[in-house]
């Protein structure tokens, strides 16, 4: 992606403006401003407890900011639920919450956005259309190992689940994709597949926010990397600056500055 | 292969069981299919099955309702108290009585989803609350309407022509269809499976899990109420003992029919077959001359055996299911 000179200074599709969030009296996010533009992959990294998950929940509508605003296309919005966020094109893929194992693959694929057909006053699930849509998505992903979309999702590997969830978000009309450590606990090959899915999503014009604790994971696909530390953004890197060594130095430097203040 | 595909259906196991029990009962007694035993069989199976439909929908979303047996008596008690004792119009009385069932379901669902308490406890509490209320309303008496004639009683309990069957079986067919339609053909059905399959992921995908559960509790109570009214209209009377153990029989029917105790899977048709299996065992044992209430011992053994079998076979046969 970096090779295509992805537009890093385009207007963000989706942004947080001076957002803070507290659990009770404990403020865990401090005045964070962060936007994601169409076709851009933004890596958000930080240690455990840096506030990554909370930030993701704010983006996805699981939590409402205590201060600051969210904006889509420059217009302030308020999400009261994950469903509200989804209806505005914000799709999140969670590490543990991507898939319901007992449900068939096609039911998982369209969960919450089921296709229906009308027959007089009755509304039916359009199972044929959903099965076909799901089969097409699997073929696009090259997940040919899956023999039937009617089978339960527990037959899928971790990488397949993440790839499927990313593709699901794309084909269901998402504009912004939030990814929570999508390559955690995956083999190298599976990781490659997931990264391909992410690039495919960005090429299709989606804005991607890729959250991880490890720079090495996000570096191959990110156009911009933002480092979160104790609920603040402390470093932002673009283009050639995105590499782990450089980042380590910057983070150490910045931490010293902060502690000196 | 057709047989292999058939064997993968959830309803396959209980169907085989039902056919087996019916065959044994018929071969050993010779009059399982007599008009009298068919009447006995269907009047037991109808009412348990209708309660089990609601219980199945609820269990798929990962919750239980132990109060349905009491609601099964509560609704006809209110209904008949109003139109027999207080001379209300039976239609109006019926609406009020079913309204009470809706209220019970709403309270169950609200407490479970609002406070996150296990439904086992919440509905056990409701069981006692309604049992006490039933006792207050009719005490140890029976409320009868032997000489009463009204379209509502005909609709719930009349015998169908010269057949051995009564209106309950029509209700059962209609409600089975509705339950099957809701579960298999609507978005609600998909959400219900998702809610029981994994509350976390379902929520993340925007499924209104609390609303799904509340709806299920209401449906569960209302179906128990309707079933109780069918029983009342058939017998032309109700006592406090009506619905004794029904909450457990409904769960048993659902489990025999292949519904998971942990939520996420099950079928309406399977539970209806499960209810017929229970009723066939009861009628079969009576025909064979077993003491009246011995069947419950037998059912206890069958229930545990079936669950053991399900656990053993589960992983082998679940591929290809939802």
């Amino acid at each position: 992606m970096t090779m295509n000179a992805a537009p890093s200074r385009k207007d963000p599709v989706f942004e947080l403006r001076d957002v803070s969030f507290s659990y009770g009296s404990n403020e865990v996010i401090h005045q964070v401003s962060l936007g994601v533009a169409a076709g851009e992959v933004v890596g958000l990294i930080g240690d455990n407890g840096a506030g990554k998950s909370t930030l993701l929940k704010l983006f996805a509508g699981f939590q409402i900011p205590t201060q600051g605003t969210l904006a889509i296309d420059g217009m302030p919005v308020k999400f009261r639920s994950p469903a509200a966020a989804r209806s505005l094109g914000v799709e999140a893929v969670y590490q543990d919450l991507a898939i319901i194992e007992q449900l068939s693959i096609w039911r998982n694929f369209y969960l919450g956005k089921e296709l229906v057909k009308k027959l007089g006053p009755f509304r039916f699930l359009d199972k044929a259309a959903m099965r076909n849509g799901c089969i097409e998505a699997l073929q696009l992903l090259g997940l040919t190992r899956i023999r039937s979309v009617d089978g339960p999702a527990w037959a899928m590997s971790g990488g397949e689940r993440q790839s499927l969830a990313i593709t699901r978000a794309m084909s269901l009309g998402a504009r912004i994709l939030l990814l929570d450590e999508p390559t955690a606990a995956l083999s190298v090959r599976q990781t490659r597949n997931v990264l391909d899915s992410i690039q495919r999503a960005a090429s299709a014009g989606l804005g991607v926010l890729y959250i991880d604790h490890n720079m090495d994971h996000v570096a191959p696909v990110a156009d911009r990397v933002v480092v979160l530390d104790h609920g603040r953004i402390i470093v932002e890197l673009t283009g050639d600056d995105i590499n782990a060594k450089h980042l380590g130095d910057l983070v150490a430097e910045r931490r010293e500055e902060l502690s000196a203040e | 292969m057709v047989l292999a595909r058939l064997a993968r259906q959830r309803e396959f196991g209980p169907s085989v069981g039902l056919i087996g029990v019916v065959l044994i009962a018929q071969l050993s007694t010779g009059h399982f299919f007599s008009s009298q035993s068919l009447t006995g069989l269907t009047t037991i199976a109808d009412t348990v099955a209708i309660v089990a439909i609601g219980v199945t929908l609820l269990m798929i979303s990962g919750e239980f309702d132990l109060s349905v047996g009491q609601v099964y008596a509560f609704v006809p008690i209110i209904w008949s108290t109003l139109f027999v004792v207080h001379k209300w119009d039976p239609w109006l009385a019926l609406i009020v009585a079913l309204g009470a069932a809706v209220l019970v379901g709403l309270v169950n669902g609200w407490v479970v989803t609002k406070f996150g308490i296990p439904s086992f406890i919440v509905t056990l509490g409701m069981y006692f609350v309604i049992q006490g209320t039933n006792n207050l309303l009719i005490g140890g008496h029976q409320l009868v309407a032997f000489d009463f004639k009204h379209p509502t009683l005909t609709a719930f309990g009349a015998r169908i022509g010269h057949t051995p069957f009564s209106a309950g079986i029509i209700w059962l067919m209609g409600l089975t269809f509705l339950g099957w339609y809701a579960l298999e053909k609507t978005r609600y059905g998909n959400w219900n499976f998702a809610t029981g399959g994994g509350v976390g992921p379902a929520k993340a995908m925007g499924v209104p899990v609390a609303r799904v559960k509340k709806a299920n509790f209401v449906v569960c109570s209302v179906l128990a109420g309707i079933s109780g009214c069918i029983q009342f209209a058939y017998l032309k009377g109700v006592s406090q003992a009506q619905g004794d153990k029904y909450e457990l029989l409904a769960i048993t029917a659902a489990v025999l029919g292949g519904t998971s105790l942990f939520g996420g899977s099950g079928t309406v048709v399977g539970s209806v077959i499960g209810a017929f299996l229970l009723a066939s065992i009861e009628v079969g044992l009576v025909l064979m001359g077993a003491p009246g209430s011995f069947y419950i011992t037998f059912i206890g053994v069958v229930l545990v055996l079936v669950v053991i079998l399900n656990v053993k076979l589960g992983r082998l046969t679940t591929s290809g299911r939802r």
Side-chain angles (χ1 to χ4, degrees):
Chain A
M1 280 309 292
T2 43
M3 298 295 288
N4 309 347
S8 55
R9 286 293 154 219
K10 270 200 334 195
D11 289 336
V13 175
F14 187 27
E15 58 182 322
L16 301 183
R17 292 175 179 165
D18 290 325
V19 161
S20 299
F21 181 76
S22 318
Y23 288 108
S25 60
N26 182 19
E27 192 171 87
V28 289
I29 298 290
H30 313 286
Q31 297 188 327
V32 167
S33 292
L34 177 63
V36 183
E40 183 187 33
V41 179
V42 177
L44 176 70
I45 60 177
D47 287 334
N48 289 332
K52 301 189 302 285
S53 307
T54 308
L55 209 57
L56 179 81
K57 284 178 183 163
L58 292 170
F59 265 112
F62 263 105
Q63 303 282 10
I64 299 170
T66 30
Q67 271 174 29
T69 50
L70 275 69
I72 288 185
D73 297 327
M75 303 286 286
V77 287
K78 247 192 179 143
F79 299 151
R80 302 215 172 273
S81 68
R86 288 191 84 192
S87 69
L88 287 172
V90 180
E91 292 274 349
V93 177
Y94 304 92
Q95 200 186 323
D96 306 323
L97 303 180
I99 292 288
I100 296 173
E101 292 199 336
Q102 280 169 299
L103 287 195
S104 70
I105 292 169
W106 69 263
R107 278 182 191 269
N108 266 296
F109 197 83
Y110 284 97
L111 183 57
K113 292 207 169 178
E114 295 85 355
L115 305 178
V116 289
K117 57 183 176 189
K118 281 186 187 166
L119 200 76
F122 298 103
R123 301 180 65 168
F124 294 88
L125 285 179
D126 196 342
K127 290 190 182 178
M130 287 193 276
R131 290 184 76 257
N132 289 335
C134 188
I135 289 168
E136 273 174 31
L138 289 177
Q139 281 169 349
L140 186 79
L141 280 173
L143 294 183
T144 45
R145 201 181 64 82
I146 308 293
R147 270 181 295 159
S148 164
V149 293
D150 296 314
W154 71 54
M156 300 177 85
S157 72
E160 287 167 345
R161 292 174 191 200
Q162 289 294 332
S163 298
L164 185 75
I166 292 166
T167 311
R168 163 173 68 186
M170 276 169 69
S171 55
L172 298 185
R175 301 180 63 203
I176 292 292
L177 190 56
L178 310 172
L179 304 174
D180 182 21
E181 307 207 354
T183 60
L186 295 190
S187 72
V188 175
R189 221 194 94 165
Q190 289 182 338
T191 300
R192 188 66 249 166
N193 288 338
V194 172
L195 295 183
D196 285 346
S197 303
I198 293 172
Q199 286 187 320
R200 204 176 294 125
S203 308
L206 275 79
V208 179
L209 184 68
Y210 181 164
I211 298 175
D212 210 301
H213 63 275
N214 191 334
M215 178 70 176
D216 293 330
H217 292 166
V218 303
V221 286
D223 302 306
R224 187 151 61 92
V225 172
V226 173
V227 183
L228 198 67
D229 192 44
H230 291 93
R232 293 173 211 277
I233 291 179
I234 59 166
V235 174
E236 194 170 332
L237 300 176
T238 50
D240 293 340
D241 290 340
I242 301 178
N243 67 66
K245 168 97 180 51
H246 190 57
L247 182 78
D249 297 344
L250 274 177
V251 168
E253 212 173 281
R254 186 76 182 110
R255 275 196 183 139
E256 267 169 38
E257 279 175 41
L258 281 173
S259 58
E261 269 169 21
Chain B
M1 222 179 109
V2 183
L3 203 67
R5 269 184 62 187
L6 212 69
R8 274 208 297 272
Q9 297 293 317
R10 256 188 197 277
E11 293 86 353
F12 182 74
S15 302
V16 170
L18 178 58
I19 293 167
V21 168
V22 168
L23 279 182
I24 292 169
Q26 171 65 19
L27 291 177
S28 60
T29 67
H31 43 267
F32 185 86
F33 288 107
S34 72
S35 163
Q36 212 182 355
S37 17
L38 283 180
T39 302
L41 175 78
T42 52
T43 48
I44 298 165
D46 293 349
T47 50
V48 174
I50 291 173
V51 178
I53 291 170
V55 166
T56 301
L57 296 176
L58 183 65
M59 280 173 72
I60 290 172
S61 66
E63 304 290 350
F64 289 99
D65 188 349
L66 296 181
S67 67
V68 286
Q70 294 304 318
V71 173
Y72 180 78
F74 183 52
V75 170
I77 285 173
I78 296 180
W79 183 35
S80 56
T81 303
L82 289 177
F83 81 78
V84 175
V85 180
H86 298 287
K87 314 290 179 211
W88 281 34
D89 175 64
W91 287 107
L92 183 64
L94 182 63
I95 291 168
V96 171
L98 288 175
V102 171
L103 195 68
V104 170
L106 281 175
V107 171
N108 279 339
W110 180 74
V111 174
V112 167
T113 54
K114 175 81 182 175
F115 300 103
I117 305 168
S119 52
F120 191 87
I121 298 300
V122 175
T123 59
L124 182 63
M126 185 58 87
Y127 172 100
F128 290 131
V129 168
I130 301 178
Q131 190 172 50
T133 311
N134 286 344
N135 196 24
L136 202 68
L137 286 171
I138 61 168
H141 305 290
Q142 284 212 8
L143 235 166
V144 294
F146 287 151
D147 304 323
F148 219 89
K149 291 225 178 336
H150 193 268
T152 49
L153 288 174
T154 312
F156 278 131
R159 185 165 273 230
I160 307 167
H162 294 289
T163 67
F165 308 111
S166 54
I169 200 151
I170 310 256
W171 280 89
L172 174 61
M173 287 193 275
L175 292 169
T176 303
F177 174 78
L178 280 180
W180 168 83
Y181 173 79
L183 191 59
E184 303 293 336
K185 300 291 172 190
T186 69
R187 297 186 76 193
Y188 150 79
N190 207 36
W191 294 350
N192 203 25
F193 285 121
T195 300
V199 168
K203 259 191 198 159
M205 298 306 289
V207 173
V209 293
R211 237 170 62 209
V212 167
K213 287 185 177 182
K214 277 186 244 175
N216 286 341
F217 276 109
V218 171
V219 167
C220 212
S221 283
V222 169
L223 286 185
I226 289 175
S227 187
C229 291
I230 290 169
Q231 176 83 335
F232 173 85
Y234 177 74
L235 297 175
K236 296 281 177 64
V238 58
S239 75
Q240 224 199 307
Q242 175 166 325
D244 180 38
K245 289 199 288 288
Y246 257 52
E247 61 285 331
L248 301 178
L249 288 175
I251 292 173
T252 305
V255 171
L256 292 180
T259 298
S260 163
L261 282 166
F262 306 104
S265 67
T267 68
V268 167
V269 175
S271 299
V272 172
I273 295 172
F276 273 88
L277 181 55
L278 289 181
S280 303
I281 291 173
E282 180 172 353
V283 170
L285 286 175
V286 169
L287 289 178
M288 289 179 205
S293 55
F294 172 73
Y295 86 97
I296 207 79
T297 307
F298 197 79
I299 282 171
V301 175
V302 170
L303 173 67
V304 175
L305 285 180
V306 164
V307 173
I308 291 173
L309 201 69
N310 272 348
V311 170
K312 292 275 176 208
L313 295 179
R315 287 274 157 169
L316 288 177
T317 52
T318 38
S319 57
R321 282 184 193 154
R322 76 178 44 82

